[in-house]
Amino acid sequence: MKKLLNTLFITQSDVYLSLDGDNVVLLKGDDRLGRVPLHNLESIITFGYTGASPSLMGYCADRSIAFSFFNCKRKV
């Protein structure tokens, strides 16, 4: 199967990423915001305060899916 080299960008703050089967699930509080199959992704990039489950990070590491956390807040 051809890998499309897609990137999932998470720009909304306070979103938690978890693993459900072979999918990444985006959770905000009790709401499920979305679900994306991981076999379509090359990388996941998050901005703001975002958390991720250890099982999701391990899954990504085993399958060479890049995972990056960025914080845009500046201290003066």
Side-chain angles (χ1 to χ4, degrees):
M1 182 164 88
K2 181 178 178 182
K3 191 160 185 164
L4 300 174
L5 306 179
N6 293 322
T7 300
L8 175 63
F9 289 93
I10 310 298
T11 58
Q12 193 170 7
S13 61
D14 298 333
V15 174
Y16 185 75
L17 307 175
S18 67
L19 181 66
D20 183 18
D22 289 333
N23 301 296
V24 59
V25 179
L26 290 76
L27 304 167
K28 186 167 185 174
D30 293 333
D31 297 329
R32 183 174 285 180
L33 301 178
R35 176 185 202 91
V36 179
L38 284 163
H39 70 272
N40 289 335
L41 297 178
E42 177 191 33
S43 60
I44 300 171
I45 298 176
T46 65
F47 296 91
Y49 177 76
T50 304
S53 70
S55 59
L56 174 62
M57 290 189 282
Y59 183 98
C60 291
D62 291 342
R63 287 159 182 81
S64 300
I65 299 172
F67 211 122
S68 302
F69 294 93
F70 294 97
N71 187 348
C72 301
K73 294 182 181 179
R74 291 176 41 179
K75 290 186 179 181
V76 180

